[in-house]
Amino acid sequence: MKKIAPSILSADFARLGSEIAAVETAGADLIHVDVMDGRFVPNLTIGPPIIRSVRKTTKLPLDVHLMIERPERSLDQYIDAGSDIITVHAEASIHLHRVVQAIRESGCKAGVSLNPSTPLSALDCIIDDIDLLLVMTVNPGFGGQAFIDAMLPKIARAREFIDRRRPSVVLEVDGGVNVDNIAAIAGAGADVLVAGSAVFHSDDYGKTINLMRRRLDSMPR
């Protein structure tokens, strides 16, 4: 079943606990947490203390996306904060295998993310060691960006690559996902759809997530 993961990057942080409770009630499958360091990407967002607080507010899996340089330096803090899935960027770590192994040994699921311009060939030597592949469909660093249409073929190629090499890997897509394009993105092969502003900037979270779900359910089987 396709899953919807609202990204709290677009939530109202003045009432973050209520925002998370609202999307959980609305039918979210995971909570996506975007961590940015102001170096790997231009923006600066949250860290382990916020994740630890978020962990107390929800039973949904925390899908933590580390957009940070050298994630190995602070990895233990994100593990200890209560992450369920930790995704690092292939572009951000010199010793990617070591980072992925450390994540999995901690009991968390390990993901690797690719920026829009990074080819799938970057995964050739790591695909057998990961649980999740995150394809970025915007250049990371800011919420509210428009989906890059040229990424649809990349998602389809990623689906083929996973099915050929390691079918158990979950394919996640993050960036510009909304009600209008969610079916096309899922149709290209995505398993998990990350949606930030499309959910949190809508007037009714339940209505928006339900509409997304209906769009997914209407896809050809």
Side-chain angles (χ1 to χ4, degrees):
M1 185 181 77
K2 307 292 184 181
K3 295 183 178 180
I4 297 172
S7 168
I8 63 170
L9 180 64
S10 298
D12 181 351
F13 273 65
R15 52 188 190 92
L16 185 55
S18 298
E19 291 275 75
I20 291 169
V23 293
E24 183 171 2
T25 300
D29 298 296
L30 306 91
I31 300 297
H32 189 81
V33 183
D34 287 310
V35 177
M36 304 180 188
D37 63 359
R39 294 175 63 87
F40 179 68
V41 294
N43 206 357
L44 182 66
T45 58
I46 66 176
I50 300 297
I51 294 172
R52 189 173 290 110
S53 296
V54 169
R55 177 71 287 166
K56 298 174 183 178
T57 69
T58 182
K59 294 182 179 179
L60 291 179
L62 295 186
D63 177 25
V64 177
H65 177 194
L66 299 183
M67 288 170 273
I68 63 176
E69 288 185 354
R70 297 180 61 190
E72 58 271 17
R73 295 181 299 180
S74 54
L75 187 60
D76 288 347
Q77 297 178 53
Y78 292 99
I79 293 168
D80 294 342
S83 306
D84 295 291
I85 306 164
I86 298 179
T87 297
V88 298
H89 272 258
E91 308 89 355
S93 180
I94 298 172
H95 302 292
L96 186 58
H97 281 88
R98 185 179 300 165
V99 175
V100 165
Q101 288 166 4
I103 295 170
R104 298 189 79 187
E105 288 170 2
S106 76
C108 296
K109 292 184 177 180
V112 168
S113 182
L114 300 179
N115 283 338
S117 63
T118 302
L120 290 170
S121 58
L123 296 168
D124 281 344
C125 294
I126 197 71
I127 187 67
D128 293 329
D129 301 297
I130 64 176
D131 302 294
L132 179 145
L133 166 59
L134 171 55
V135 173
M136 292 300 302
T137 47
V138 297
N139 289 293
F142 299 94
Q145 298 184 70
F147 180 87
I148 300 172
D149 291 336
M151 291 300 102
L152 270 179
K154 184 177 183 179
I155 296 167
R157 293 195 302 272
R159 177 79 271 159
E160 294 171 359
F161 179 67
I162 288 170
D163 290 346
R164 184 174 70 253
R165 288 284 303 274
R166 187 171 168 83
S168 62
V169 168
V170 172
L171 179 55
E172 183 172 76
V173 170
D174 181 6
V177 177
N178 57 44
V179 169
D180 294 327
N181 62 22
I182 192 168
I185 296 167
D191 300 307
V192 177
L193 295 306
V194 177
S197 57
V199 173
F200 285 109
H201 293 178
S202 69
D203 294 331
D204 187 324
Y205 302 165
K207 181 179 179 180
T208 299
I209 291 176
N210 285 337
L211 182 53
M212 288 180 169
R213 193 81 67 191
R214 290 201 299 273
R215 296 285 171 87
L216 294 174
D217 289 344
S218 67
M219 292 168 49
R221 301 293 180 179

